Amino acid sequence: GEDVEQSLFLSVREGDSSVINCTYTDSSSTYLYWYKQEPGAGLQLLTYIFSNMDMKQDQRLTVLLNKKDKHLSLRIADTQTGDSAIYFCAESMGSGNTGKLIFGQGTTLQVKP
Amino acid sequence: NAGVTQTPKFQVLKTGQSMTLQCAQDMNHNSMYWYRQDPGMGLRLIYYSASEGTTDKGEVPNGYNVSRLNKREFSLRLESAAPSQTSVYFCASSEFSSLAGPETQYFGPGTRLLVL
């Protein structure tokens, strides 16, 4: 079945770049997503990438997609303490887009001042 | 717009008790979802509803039932709570279209449930 894997924890210093990695199994997913969860809150969509793209940039965020290796990454430039949160990657469940998502375990990003 | 709202925010139950978690959205979305979040396991889909009047099982449906009361409301019921159901429960909604476009799910703030 479909599966999404992430490392659980990343610690960086303020001002450094953060790179959060994710691997997924369903090669038919049309979109892949990054969600952010701040303490005590629900998830919010951070960014997404269409599966026929290799890269997407949105201000401080860069998403890289390697379809051959089924590897997705999120780079946050100039990481700030406000970026401390849990980051989830997600892919569509099942073949094609069905509306349901499979989430990874989440990567806790700790930003030290 | 309030977005997705959930009640209650916190709940403590004894084993065997029942309760219903409420969820409502005011974005006129067709699809609604219930997830549970456990440490190191991410979010797992319990049930979802693609439209009013339909529900379907997700990855971990055992011990739960759902009701899509109308387009706005989607409730999750625990008939006989067990300690293994201690978790944080999130409701989400989306305007999924198979034609095009990414899936943006909007999440509620969560219900923290402790079963003793």
Side-chain angles (χ1 to χ4, degrees), chain A residues 20-33:
Chain A
I20 302 171
N21 295 300
C22 171
T23 56
Y24 61 96
T25 57
D26 188 350
S27 58
S28 64
S29 295
T30 306
Y31 289 93
L32 293 135
Y33 306 86

Side-chain angles (χ1 to χ4, degrees), chain A residues 8-24:
Chain A
L8 294 182
F9 186 77
L10 176 66
S11 181
V12 300
R13 293 223 171 265
E14 192 172 20
D16 288 349
S17 292
S18 308
V19 179
I20 302 171
N21 295 300
C22 171
T23 56
Y24 61 96

Side-chain angles (χ1 to χ4, degrees), chain A residues 31 33 35 37 40-43 45 48 88 97-101 103-105, chain B residues 33 35 37 40 42-43 45 48 90 96 101-105 107-109 112:
Chain A
Y31 289 93
Y33 306 86
Y35 279 77
Q37 183 183 29
L43 280 69
L45 181 66
Y48 63 89
F88 292 90
N97 252 353
T98 64
K100 295 178 287 179
L101 301 178
F103 288 88
Q105 305 95 315
Chain B
Y33 311 83
Y35 295 92
Q37 183 180 24
L43 271 75
L45 183 66
Y48 71 100
F90 288 99
F96 170 66
E103 171 76 8
T104 300
Q105 291 192 11
F107 283 78
R112 282 147 184 80

Side-chain angles (χ1 to χ4, degrees), chain B residues 45-116:
Chain B
L45 183 66
I46 304 171
Y47 271 94
Y48 71 100
S49 170
S51 62
E52 185 180 350
T54 69
T55 62
D56 212 338
K57 294 178 180 179
E59 186 185 356
V60 289
N62 291 344
Y64 305 95
N65 284 303
V66 289
S67 295
R68 184 73 183 268
L69 303 168
N70 46 55
K71 194 170 186 180
R72 288 188 65 247
E73 298 171 288
F74 189 38
S75 63
L76 179 71
R77 182 158 178 85
L78 287 69
E79 289 292 350
S80 178
S84 61
Q85 293 178 304
T86 293
S87 188
V88 182
Y89 291 86
F90 288 99
C91 177
S93 72
S94 70
E95 188 49 53
F96 170 66
S97 169
S98 62
L99 297 176
E103 171 76 8
T104 300
Q105 291 192 11
Y106 295 85
F107 283 78
T111 294
R112 282 147 184 80
L113 177 66
L114 173 62
V115 183
L116 301 173

